[in-house]
Amino acid sequence: LEQKKYSLSDQLYRAVGSVSANLAEGYSRSTGRDRALFYQYALGSARESRDWYFKARFILGEETVEQRFQVLTEIIRLLVTMIPQ
């Protein structure tokens, strides 16, 4: 069980960290196409993070997961509007 908790927390940490890292890298890009590419990566990582939070709901608790879901859902909504079609 401890190994599962570590693995789960490691995946969650990587996915959530990837959201902010890709946003930062995309923001620093000079062309819209490059920026959009990194925002798409951030979007994928945000969706992945939501999935990992769902998997961790029994460890973290429903209230914590619900709050994080709301934040990630808002990030996803913003990214969808920021990425040009």
Side-chain angles (χ1 to χ4, degrees):
L1 183 61
E2 286 302 313
Q3 182 60 33
K4 280 187 177 182
K5 285 182 183 179
Y6 173 76
S7 178
L8 185 70
S9 65
D10 184 55
Q11 289 292 339
L12 183 54
Y13 181 79
R14 290 170 186 257
V16 171
S18 182
V19 175
S20 62
N22 282 302
L23 285 172
E25 187 154 355
Y27 186 76
S28 68
R29 296 297 170 139
S30 59
T31 69
R33 183 176 292 247
D34 285 345
R35 192 173 302 117
L37 181 62
F38 282 95
Y39 288 171
Q40 286 176 340
Y41 296 153
L43 177 60
S45 294
R47 288 177 171 151
E48 179 186 357
S49 297
R50 241 184 3 187
D51 181 61
W52 284 114
Y53 272 114
F54 178 78
K55 292 172 183 169
R57 69 192 180 281
F58 300 114
I59 297 168
L60 297 174
E62 294 287 337
E63 187 176 322
T64 299
V65 170
E66 180 57 35
Q67 186 269 336
R68 308 271 168 88
F69 255 55
Q70 288 176 7
V71 171
L72 286 165
T73 299
E74 183 65 14
I75 290 169
I76 290 166
R77 188 188 69 75
L78 290 169
L79 283 168
V80 166
T81 62
M82 291 168 59
I83 299 170
Q85 298 303 320

